[in-house]
Each structure stands twice: as C-alpha cells, then as structure tokens.
Amino acid sequence: MGEAKRRRGYRAALMETCKSLPLARFNLYALGTRRSMIAYIAEEHSHWASHCERLLGVISLDRIDSDYSWMLLARDQNGCFRCANLGTGFPTAPRAEEALLEEIDRVVRLGDIDTYGVQGDETNAPLNLLNPATDLDTDKLHPYFRLVLEEPGRAPARKVFEEIGPWLAPQDPHLVSEFQTKGFDQRLWEIYLWAAFREFNLDVEHLEAPDFRCRGPGIDFCVEATTAAPSLSGALAEHPMPKTIEETASFLDDYMPIKYGSALYTKLTKTDAQDRHYWEREDSSGKPFLLAIADFHLPAQGKELGSMTYTQSALWQYLYGSRVYWEMEGDQLVIKPEEIGSHKFGEKEIPSGFFDQPNAENISAVIFSNAGTLAKFDRMGVAAGFGAEGYRYMRTGFRYNPDPNAFMGTPFSEEVTDQGYEEYWTQEVQVFHNPNAKHPLPFEWLLGATHHYFEDGFMKSHAPLDSVLSSFTLILKIIANEKQAV
C-alpha cells in the first residue's frame, strides 16, 4: 500500500506540468504525423500534453511484442509535431505513462521546449495558409478567405488551417496564393482531401498533376481533384432556381449532370505536353486512378443552402447512366431503375454514363464529398476544443439510414460543443466505383467511406453507420443572453 500511495503522489506531482489530452485535439495536432504503417504495429492507448500544449505524448501497445511504449512529440522548426523522443519495453500502460510524464516534466522545467523538437531536415519556408504575400493587393482576397481572417466566429477554422499548413508540401507553387484569392473553393477542396486521406491512414504526396499519390502497406493510388464551378457563359450560365418538387427533379436530372459532366470529362480528356493523360504519367501509371469532385457552382445565399447540400444524386445518375424511381407497395420500398441516354438543358446535351465513355476504364472511381467547406473546418476545430468564445455551433443534416425501406436519411441536429460530439474528416466521403475499371479500387483502401457500386442494374452501397449524407452549420453569436446568427 505504501508503494501505491507513493506512486499516486508522484504522479500527482507530475501533473503540475502535464495533462491528459482529448483524442480529437491530439488528432488535429498530429494530423500529418502518423505514418501509414503505425496502425498495423501499434495501438494507441492514451494521449498527453504539457499544459502549454507545445509537447504532446502518446502511449501505444506494441501489437507484436505486447508491451507498451511512449513517444514524445514536439514542434520542429516548421511548426509540425514530430517524434522528439521515445521509450519502449514497458510491461504496463501506467508504467509507460509515468515515464512519459517524467520526460514532459523534465523538458518543461529545463525550459528546453523550443529546441527539443528540432529535426535538422526542416524546410526554409513552411506553408502558412493564412499569411498573404506582402505585395498582394488586399482587394483581391477572396471574400471567404477574408471571413477566415477577420470573423471572430471563424477562429476554429483558423486554428485548423494553422495546424495543417506546415504539413502541406505541394509541388504546385500556387496553392497558397490561389487559396487566398480567386481559387479559394478549389484549393479548399484540395486541403480537405489531404486531411481526409491522412485520416484514412495514408501517406500522402501532394503532386502537381495528378494532385495526390496515396500510399500505405499494399496500397498505392493517385487522385486528381476537380470542382463543378459557376458557369459564366454558355447554356449553363442561365441557372435555374428550382422551387417545386418537379423543378428540382428536372434540375437534378439534367442541369446538374451536365455541370458534373463538364468537370469530369475535361479531366478525362486532358493531356500534358507529352500527350499523356493523368493515368499515363510516371506517378500514376499502372495503378488505380481516381477523380475527386465537389460542387461549388452555387454558394449559399441568404436563406438558400449551397447547391452542394442536395446535388449529389445528380452525380451518380451521370456516372452510371441510370436513375431510379421508388414507390411503397404496402410497407415495402420498391425501387425501379431506368437507363438514361442523355442529359439536356437548353441547347446543350451530353451523353449519360461517364463510366461508359471512351478511356473512362482508366478511372477506377470517382470520389465525392459535400464537406469540403469552411463549415467543416470550423466544426473540426470546435470538436478539437478550439471553439470561439461567445459563439455556438449547431449542425443539422441527414445521416445514413440502414433501414432497407428508407427513402431518405435519418435527420439529426447537434451542438458541436456538446460533450460526446464526434466528427471525422471522412464521414461524408463517398466513393463511386467504376464497373469497367482497368485497375479497380479495393473498398478496404478507403475504410470509413461510403462505397457505391453498380450491379445487376442497380446502384448498391456500403455505408458506415455514422456516415453523413449532408448537413449545414449555423454559427450563433451570443449577445446579452440572446442568439444572433452570423
């Protein structure tokens, strides 16, 4: 009993400089830290930090030797949390935790934090997504980027960008400048995809073209990102604003498939100076190649939600050249498929069935998400404990409904700051598999995504129970005990 009491007292003394860290907060700090192999050889047990959170610690169980280890992370000179020290071979988790806390306490008391994480291989100019160039005309800043910089309620997103930025190493030198100016939506989509692929436990190389190469044990595929953007000329410039059920159905049956089709077909046919398609280039040849698309063609306006919250059904119609009609026969949902020959809006008409187009066999799958938005970055920041003081964040939407007779998702409404709230980068990721793919993408390479495939004339799906179909976020500013939407 004396030894146990002594250890409790010793641990309490160590907690003067150390604290337990919630997983969501650790995950944000370490989003770029974990290597893909780690999950196969170690199971994380607990997470810790110095009170200033400039040192992070993790206790892991070795899956091979069945003993415990500790790892202490510190920021390198670029601002990335990386391994600075570790200890192995502990018989129990408490013994490993005690050794970790001793090391945190030692470094804090020595005042050695600034140099503790220096690795010696840092770059000279890490990315800072939030720092505009000194010679940039501020009038050219994108209005959404201004929101990030200036709106107090967007502090959670700012924190997320601060943590992600130093990890990004794109070969394209224009990512930061375009994120801040005319290319905000497109670059935000890329940053979101990077975060999602990291959460899928993949090592991500940010190329110039295609955009990403993702690898892990037995995994290797490439991804090119694109977006459905506003049409400034041509037949699609006259944008319909559907109000009725019939108008919405027509909009989703024709206008939106053409919007998605324009972006995807452009990527399908694009070649470089050597006349090579994306899948023929050095990094992507001979392996699964994916296109990733998001809809940014119509942003939210006033009380109208952005188009991305409701246009995903148009995508799969175009990809597979099929749509479905449903009806209830008694208490059973009956789905009736119908093949689509083409989509027509005004004078513009395109063939349906992207996966049936020439060369489309080289596209293994199409990734879609309606979550590559500023709201997502805000929520991930809030979930990690970086909510802005005086603000509340309410999320409303629809989750996947596993009921075979369900014709819509399960509605939900949650406050992001509620205890127990969980959110992940990958919850809204959907993968549409090409039935004609030359190099099929295994489902298990993107575990946690919703996977769709076409079989026997029907689109079938495998979805995690926590997957989100769509949602929107309301940010409330608290003023004199009243709520005001911002």
Side-chain angles (χ1 to χ4, degrees), residues 250-259 261 314-323 340-354:
S250 178
F251 172 74
L252 295 175
D253 286 350
D254 290 301
Y255 184 91
M256 277 311 304
I258 296 175
K259 286 295 298 180
L315 176 60
W316 74 262
Q317 291 185 52
Y318 170 66
L319 293 177
Y320 296 115
S322 176
R323 66 172 62 103
I340 307 170
S342 63
H343 305 277
K344 183 176 182 180
F345 181 82
E347 298 179 354
K348 189 171 183 63
E349 185 172 5
I350 66 169
S352 192
F354 175 76

Side-chain angles (χ1 to χ4, degrees), residues 50 58 75 95 128 137 162 244 274 285-286 293 296 306 312 323-324 356 368 379 435 459 484:
S50 60
V58 58
R75 292 193 190 274
R95 290 295 177 91
N128 186 329
D137 183 352
E162 287 173 2
T244 66
Q274 286 82 43
S285 177
I293 189 167
F296 289 99
Q312 61 198 57
R323 66 172 62 103
V324 298
D356 294 322
F368 172 83
R379 294 197 307 270
M459 189 182 78
Q484 176 182 340

Side-chain angles (χ1 to χ4, degrees), residues 192-253:
Y192 166 79
L193 286 171
W194 179 88
F197 291 142
R198 290 293 299 135
E199 193 176 86
F200 279 128
N201 196 38
L202 297 168
D203 299 324
V204 183
E205 187 178 359
H206 205 162
L207 309 173
E208 185 168 4
D211 291 307
F212 299 103
R213 184 174 182 180
C214 302
R215 284 179 277 192
I219 300 172
D220 192 355
F221 64 92
C222 286
V223 183
E224 172 67 11
T226 188
T227 61
S231 295
L232 303 179
S233 61
L236 300 187
E238 184 182 344
H239 193 285
M241 298 299 292
K243 300 298 181 184
T244 66
I245 294 177
E246 293 75 17
E247 289 173 347
T248 301
S250 178
F251 172 74
L252 295 175
D253 286 350

Side-chain angles (χ1 to χ4, degrees), residues 290-318:
L290 288 66
L291 293 176
I293 189 167
D295 176 18
F296 289 99
H297 92 276
L298 186 66
Q301 301 175 3
K303 295 183 179 180
E304 299 291 334
L305 296 177
S307 60
M308 65 183 65
T309 61
Y310 62 89
T311 60
Q312 61 198 57
S313 64
L315 176 60
W316 74 262
Q317 291 185 52
Y318 170 66

